[in-house]
């Protein structure tokens, strides 16, 4: 019999744990990555080390990620740059510049809280007690548990607290990012018992299962799941499945291999979620490469256990990194066989999908334009003018998120014809939908 081991990991990521260069880069990127001091510091770092260049590029995508901040700090140390006095002086100037800009802007104290998020992962534990480093990029056995994530709510939201809100949170990340505070690893039986009980006590008796895409760490997956649940105002239990993505730009080929490797484990977990809880509705959301595993897992469960299929209420694929022809020919018919609703948000501008476009010769199901996939039973939405990254954008960004439309889809079960901001486009292959920029919610 396996020994019972329970880990309780708490995060106390203090700013002084990071070197001053990483701290400066993070602050500037979160502040829109502009200004002479940032440009100067980045130019001095560029070309010194491929690892540093990549780590900065990864951080620019999500400056709220502690795992990405650690990657920059580790890369600077490995390259012998962390102690460079000229770089450190430039970094201090940059911190002062960002602080000056911040003091000129009005402070908006948005409401926030700590959400409980359930997880399953087949990443290998690292043994590090910091939750941002708890699981690495290597393959491992299945682990189960829960996370506590501090989130900042969207402005203007006056709706009731989320079902898995544990407590109010007064200490926010100054830039509004979600923060992973804690992670508990549970044994399988205890995990499913806790999950079933939590779902049973939610008025909606529902769950949201998120499967992340390429270039995402465990920490990033936890943060995004909590923020997605908050932005959707999801009335059920948020869950994420984290497969062993390398979490960096150069990891695409390895990620492709690992997302295929994870498929049977994800399928098994989905069956377990439906069998071992009394959840009435499961909403399934996959992004990028994660859509590849999630779509096939849903198709496999539908074929093997048609009795479970009706409880998979919605399948939402955001910028799916799946070969378009394979999706149209094989996956879409399997997904729609049981009558479930499938929604595909296409966007060739999605950052993760752009990597696929550069490295793979065939169109992806998430591509827009001439390659847009229109298939029977699939509601295709050209989301090119909105953000499909599922990363919480800066508060002052002008770009709207596809999550606004997903919220109407999930909370009110509205078809595209009844969702504000969408308009129909008819082509020989069928009908698809696009966002009307003037009416985006």
């Amino acid at each position: 019999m396996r020994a019972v081991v329970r880990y309780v990991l708490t995060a106390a990521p203090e700013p002084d744990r990071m070197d001053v260069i990483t701290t400066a880069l993070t602050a500037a990127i979160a502040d829109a990555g502009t200004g002479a001091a940032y440009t100067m510091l980045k130019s001095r770092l560029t070309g010194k080390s491929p690892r540093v260049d990549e780590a900065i590029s990864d951080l620019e995508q999500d400056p709220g990620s502690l795992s990405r901040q650690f990657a920059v700090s580790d890369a600077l140390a490995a390259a012998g740059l962390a102690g460079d006095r000229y770089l450190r002086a430039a970094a201090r100037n940059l911190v002062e510049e960002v602080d000056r800009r911040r003091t000129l802007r009005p402070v908006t104290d948005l409401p926030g809280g700590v959400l409980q998020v359930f997880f399953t992962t087949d990443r290998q534990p690292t043994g590090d007690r910091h939750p941002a480093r708890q699981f690495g990029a290597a393959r491992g056995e299945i682990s189960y548990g829960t996370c506590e994530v501090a989130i900042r709510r969207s402005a203007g939201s006056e709706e009731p607290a989320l079902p898995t809100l544990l407590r109010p949170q007064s200490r926010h990340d100054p830039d509004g990012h979600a923060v992973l505070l804690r992670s508990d690893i549970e044994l399988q039986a205890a995990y499913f018992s806790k999950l079933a009980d939590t779902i049973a006590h939610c008025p909606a008796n529902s769950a949201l299962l998120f499967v992340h895409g390429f270039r995402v760490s465990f920490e990033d997956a936890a943060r995004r799941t909590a923020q997605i649940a908050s932005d959707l105002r999801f009335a059920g239990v948020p869950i994420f499945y984290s497969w062993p993505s390398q979490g960096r730009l150069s990891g695409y080929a390895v990620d492709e291999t690992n997302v295929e490797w994870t498929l049977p484990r994800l399928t098994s977990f989905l069956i377990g979620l439906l069998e071992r809880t009394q959840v009435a509705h499961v909403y399934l959301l996959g992004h990028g490469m994660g859509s590849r595993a999630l779509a096939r897992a849903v198709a496999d469960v539908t074929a093997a256990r048609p009795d479970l299929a009706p409880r998979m209420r919605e399948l939402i694929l955001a910028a799916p990194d799946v070969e378009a022809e394979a999706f149209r020919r094989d996956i879409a018919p399997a997904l729609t066989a049981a009558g479930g609703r499938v929604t595909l948000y296409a966007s060739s501008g999605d950052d993760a999908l752009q990597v696929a476009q550069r490295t793979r010769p065939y169109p992806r199901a998430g591509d827009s334009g001439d390659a847009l996939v229109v298939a029977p039973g699939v509601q295709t939405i050209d989301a090119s003018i909105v953000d499909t990254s599922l990363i919480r954008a800066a508060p002052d960004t002008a770009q709207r998120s596809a999550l606004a439309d997903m919220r109407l889809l999930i909370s009110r079960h509205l078809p595209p014809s009844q969702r504000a901001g969408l308009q129909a486009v008819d082509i020989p292959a069928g009908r698809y939908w696009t966002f009307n920029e003037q009416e985006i919610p």
Side-chain angles (χ1 to χ4, degrees), residues 84-103:
D84 185 294
R85 62 192 181 104
Y86 296 106
L87 292 173
R88 290 171 63 85
R92 285 191 288 271
N93 290 337
L94 177 54
V95 170
E96 292 174 2
E97 179 186 276
V98 173
D99 285 344
R100 284 194 298 271
R101 286 204 299 266
R102 283 176 172 169
T103 57

Side-chain angles (χ1 to χ4, degrees), residues 20-290:
V20 67
I21 300 174
T22 301
T23 299
L25 290 170
T26 302
I29 293 168
D31 197 54
T34 60
Y38 175 70
T39 301
M40 181 179 68
L41 178 58
K42 185 178 177 181
S43 66
R44 288 184 176 182
L45 291 167
T46 300
K48 294 291 197 318
S49 159
R51 182 178 170 188
V52 171
D53 292 348
E54 179 181 45
I56 293 175
S57 174
D58 291 334
L59 184 64
E60 286 178 330
Q61 189 195 43
D62 185 2
S65 168
L66 274 173
S67 53
R68 297 184 188 213
Q69 293 174 34
F70 281 131
V72 172
S73 186
D74 292 344
L76 290 169
L81 299 173
D84 185 294
R85 62 192 181 104
Y86 296 106
L87 292 173
R88 290 171 63 85
R92 285 191 288 271
N93 290 337
L94 177 54
V95 170
E96 292 174 2
E97 179 186 276
V98 173
D99 285 344
R100 284 194 298 271
R101 286 204 299 266
R102 283 176 172 169
T103 57
L104 297 176
R105 290 198 296 266
V107 177
T108 55
D109 187 18
L110 299 178
V114 176
L115 289 184
Q116 181 182 62
V117 178
F118 286 76
F119 73 83
T120 300
T121 183
D122 48 17
R123 294 175 181 266
Q124 186 177 70
T126 62
D128 195 311
R129 297 191 66 80
H130 195 295
R133 295 176 178 258
Q134 175 187 9
F135 292 98
R139 297 174 179 181
E141 299 297 323
I142 294 287
S143 297
Y144 305 90
T146 58
C147 296
E148 293 183 9
V149 183
I151 54 96
R152 177 176 286 186
R153 293 265 299 279
S154 301
S157 178
E158 298 179 354
E159 298 185 36
L162 300 176
T164 54
L165 183 71
L166 298 177
R167 59 185 181 277
Q169 174 73 3
S170 58
R171 295 174 58 229
H172 299 296
D173 178 285
D175 296 298
H177 300 115
V179 180
L180 176 59
L181 301 175
R182 176 188 176 105
S183 179
D184 295 341
I185 299 178
E186 306 276 0
L187 293 179
Q188 184 188 61
Y191 170 83
F192 276 108
S193 175
K194 184 176 183 178
L195 178 59
D197 184 66
T198 306
I199 291 172
H201 284 85
C202 285
N205 194 19
S206 62
L208 171 70
L209 175 60
F210 173 57
V211 182
H212 63 78
F214 152 72
R215 200 181 179 185
V216 174
S217 68
F218 174 85
E219 179 220 4
D220 296 340
R223 294 170 52 244
R224 291 184 195 183
T225 304
Q227 198 64 74
I228 288 168
S230 175
D231 289 348
L232 293 176
R233 305 301 306 142
F234 185 64
V237 177
I239 310 166
F240 69 97
Y241 189 103
S242 186
W243 52 277
S245 166
Q246 302 304 287
R248 62 178 189 271
L249 184 60
S250 64
Y252 186 88
V254 178
D255 279 10
E256 271 202 314
T257 302
N258 282 347
V259 82
E260 294 291 335
W261 172 84
T262 209
L263 176 60
R265 294 159 185 80
L266 174 58
T267 303
S268 177
F269 171 70
L270 183 53
I271 292 174
L273 170 62
L274 294 165
E275 282 187 333
R276 302 178 70 167
T277 73
Q278 296 300 311
V279 61
H281 306 295
V282 178
Y283 299 88
L284 303 132
L285 171 58
H287 179 249
M289 198 178 286

